[in-house]
Amino acid sequence: MPLHEHSQVSDLSAHPLQPYGWDAAWEAEFTPYAEQGLMPGRVVRVDRGQADVVTTEGLIRADTVLVTPHDPLRVVCTGDWAAVEPTGDPQLIRTLLPRRTAFVRSTSSQRSEGQILAANVDHAVIAVSLAVELDLGRIERFLALAWESGAMPVVVLTKADLVPDATGLSYLVEDVETVAPGVQVLPVSSVTGAGLDALTAVVAGGTSVLLGVSGAGKSTLANALLGQDVMEVQATRDIDGKGRHTTTTRNLLALPGGGVLIDTPGLRGVGLWDAGSGVDQVFAEIGELAQDCRFHDCGHVAEPGCAVLAAIEDGSLPERRLESWRKLMRENQRIVAKTDARLRQEMLRGWKQRSSEGRANMAAKRGGRIR
């Protein structure tokens, strides 16, 4: 059988890449590359300019030099589907298939580049440890990036066995549900197995990326889902719940119960990257309230007839939520403005206008004139 025929298997359930997420849509997408004699594969790991790719011929080590090197969002990433040269040492990734979804964060670079963490993800599993106090703001940040990626977020509260009181655990779940509208929140214990069946059912339906800070219990959770100790686990400090970066690269693994898991290193920072719609999704209640504001461009600061501020006054909207929304919106606007000259000019005009209005208000209070 010619190499290109390996990618055109009528029974997809028998396709060697089916456990890694291959489906009819990817089959159709790959057709022109199959006609060129290229081989389909999924990137399971990237390091030092090369990638481990699982293909119809097995796991290979491939060079990534032919993929656009100067665009940080077009570099080869764990989860990508690729068209690979069938021969060579190392073999070459010729091109990437168009991504269905992409999880992107901003880097610490002064150039404000985006860094892609995982591609073609269906579920973003956000691991949050119950060994330390909940950081709702961080959860909101992860959720914004998850929604923006196109994946469906799921919040997993790990180490649930450390909260033996069922009532106390239910309160913690409720606290997270208030900042995660429309998102499933699952308390899970890798020690007792509680909640693992529900999570296994979620991740069985496609590709999931496991996200969270160091010490969140991601590697332990990955091992529990895999049914074996694939990921190394290091002890977490009791004093602050922090752990070292057990996972240093992003790895894609087929799950025994179906589905694919991408484990990631612990993320010290999760900067937004053009995630405006993701922020809107996380703070949907603020958007709904804003529809009743007197002014369509209300900034929810001190404007008369502001429905958002009214909700703060009557207690129906927590002030912490509004402050978190403001923080993420400001951050997102800054990152977008660095790459969008028009928006940057609009922001500058807005800042000048607010500054002018502030001076006018101060002058009015003092009964004087603006100088």
Side-chain angles (χ1 to χ4, degrees), residues 329-366:
M329 288 296 289
R330 284 195 301 267
E331 178 182 332
N332 193 66
Q333 288 172 347
R334 281 196 301 270
I335 198 69
V336 172
K338 288 180 179 179
T339 56
D340 188 328
R342 179 186 57 80
L343 179 59
R344 184 163 57 246
Q345 289 302 315
E346 289 180 358
M347 287 178 63
L348 285 172
R349 284 196 296 270
W351 290 334
K352 290 179 180 178
Q353 181 179 348
R354 285 193 294 273
S355 177
S356 176
E357 290 173 350
R359 290 197 304 272
N361 290 336
M362 288 297 294
K365 288 181 180 180
R366 293 172 180 170

Side-chain angles (χ1 to χ4, degrees), residues 47-100:
D47 64 276
R48 296 188 295 276
Q50 292 188 320
D52 292 336
V53 184
V54 61
T55 73
T56 50
E57 303 297 320
L59 187 67
I60 66 167
R61 185 72 168 166
D63 203 321
T64 65
V65 294
L66 292 185
V67 179
T68 310
H70 302 300
D71 182 349
L73 299 185
R74 286 298 297 167
V75 298
V76 175
C77 175
T78 302
D80 273 323
W81 285 100
V84 185
E85 295 280 1
T87 59
D89 185 21
Q91 290 164 253
L92 295 177
I93 292 178
R94 177 73 66 82
T95 191
L96 300 178
L97 300 188
R99 291 165 175 154
R100 294 178 182 174

Side-chain angles (χ1 to χ4, degrees), residues 113-270:
E113 294 177 341
Q115 178 191 20
I116 181 164
L117 298 179
N120 301 311
V121 172
D122 301 293
H123 298 100
V125 180
I126 302 166
V128 179
S129 173
L130 291 178
V132 294
E133 186 176 352
L134 289 175
D135 186 337
L136 298 179
R138 179 182 289 155
I139 295 172
E140 289 164 340
R141 178 179 293 272
F142 270 110
L143 287 169
L145 289 173
W147 282 121
E148 191 68 34
S149 75
M152 172 64 73
V154 179
V155 178
V156 175
L157 302 180
T158 66
K159 309 181 184 181
D161 53 286
L162 298 180
V163 188
D165 176 51
T167 302
L169 182 60
S170 68
Y171 286 151
L172 290 171
V173 171
E174 288 177 9
D175 286 344
V176 176
E177 287 176 338
T178 61
V179 303
V183 175
Q184 192 171 10
V185 180
L186 298 174
V188 170
S189 170
S190 299
V191 174
T192 67
L196 281 175
D197 286 347
L199 179 58
T200 298
V202 171
V203 299
T207 297
S208 302
V209 61
L210 192 52
L211 303 159
V213 299
S214 296
K218 298 189 306 302
S219 294
T220 303
L221 190 61
N223 285 335
L225 292 170
L226 290 161
Q228 53 185 316
D229 291 340
V230 175
M231 313 305 296
E232 181 185 357
V233 177
Q234 294 178 347
T236 301
R237 297 193 303 244
D238 290 335
I239 190 170
D240 56 9
K242 294 181 179 179
R244 287 175 286 175
H245 292 282
T246 302
T247 306
T248 57
T249 58
R250 285 169 281 280
N251 303 281
L252 184 146
L253 302 157
L255 295 169
V260 178
L261 182 69
I262 300 176
D263 193 19
T264 64
L267 301 174
R268 289 190 178 89
V270 278

Side-chain angles (χ1 to χ4, degrees), residues 12-59:
L12 288 177
S13 64
H15 197 287
L17 291 177
Q18 188 273 335
Y20 293 90
W22 188 257
D23 58 26
W26 290 122
E27 181 95 354
E29 194 79 50
F30 193 79
T31 297
Y33 303 109
E35 293 170 351
Q36 298 173 35
L38 297 175
M39 184 169 56
R42 192 164 197 192
V43 178
V44 299
R45 177 187 172 101
V46 179
D47 64 276
R48 296 188 295 276
Q50 292 188 320
D52 292 336
V53 184
V54 61
T55 73
T56 50
E57 303 297 320
L59 187 67

Side-chain angles (χ1 to χ4, degrees), residues 244-307:
R244 287 175 286 175
H245 292 282
T246 302
T247 306
T248 57
T249 58
R250 285 169 281 280
N251 303 281
L252 184 146
L253 302 157
L255 295 169
V260 178
L261 182 69
I262 300 176
D263 193 19
T264 64
L267 301 174
R268 289 190 178 89
V270 278
L272 300 186
W273 176 259
D274 196 4
S277 62
V279 174
D280 288 342
Q281 187 85 25
V282 176
F283 298 92
E285 79 275 32
I286 293 179
E288 292 173 3
L289 287 168
Q291 295 178 13
D292 294 327
C293 290
R294 182 182 301 177
F295 304 109
H296 69 87
D297 59 347
C298 183
H300 320 311
V301 179
E303 298 88 342
C306 174

